[in-house]
Amino acid sequence: MSDSPPAAHNASAAAPLPDISILDSFIHISATVLDLDDLLRTALEILRQKFNFAFQIIFLIDDETNTLAQTAQLGGPDDPQS
């Protein structure tokens, strides 16, 4: 009898580790940026750097109206900082 694990187990062990650097970036900014607008804008900038998105929007639920409200934007014609 062999002490080696089954072939399926070896294949999964050889899979590359996921890139968690973006999570590390989000953890860092959430601990250091206190203003929500700055936090969301910085999160969008991290996503732009990682995925090269040209246009991004964050929507949050407005508790008073129970609707989605655009909270942050990066890129696009309405972004003054693009």
Side-chain angles (χ1 to χ4, degrees):
M1 292 201 136
S2 171
D3 289 338
S4 63
H9 179 72
N10 286 341
S12 66
L17 295 174
D19 180 7
I20 60 169
S21 63
I22 195 166
L23 293 175
D24 184 55
S25 297
F26 286 146
I27 290 168
H28 176 74
I29 64 164
S30 67
T32 57
V33 178
L34 301 178
D35 180 70
L36 180 60
D37 292 334
D38 290 341
L39 177 72
L40 295 175
R41 182 101 183 152
T42 304
L44 289 177
E45 289 170 358
I46 290 169
L47 290 171
R48 175 185 274 177
Q49 291 170 2
K50 179 70 177 172
F51 298 107
N52 200 28
F53 293 145
F55 184 69
Q56 307 167 75
I57 298 175
I58 293 178
F59 291 93
L60 297 178
I61 296 176
D62 183 321
D63 290 334
E64 294 177 9
T65 62
N66 203 30
T67 59
L68 288 176
Q70 181 176 331
T71 309
Q73 175 182 332
L74 187 61
D78 297 331
D79 182 8
Q81 297 182 9
S82 284

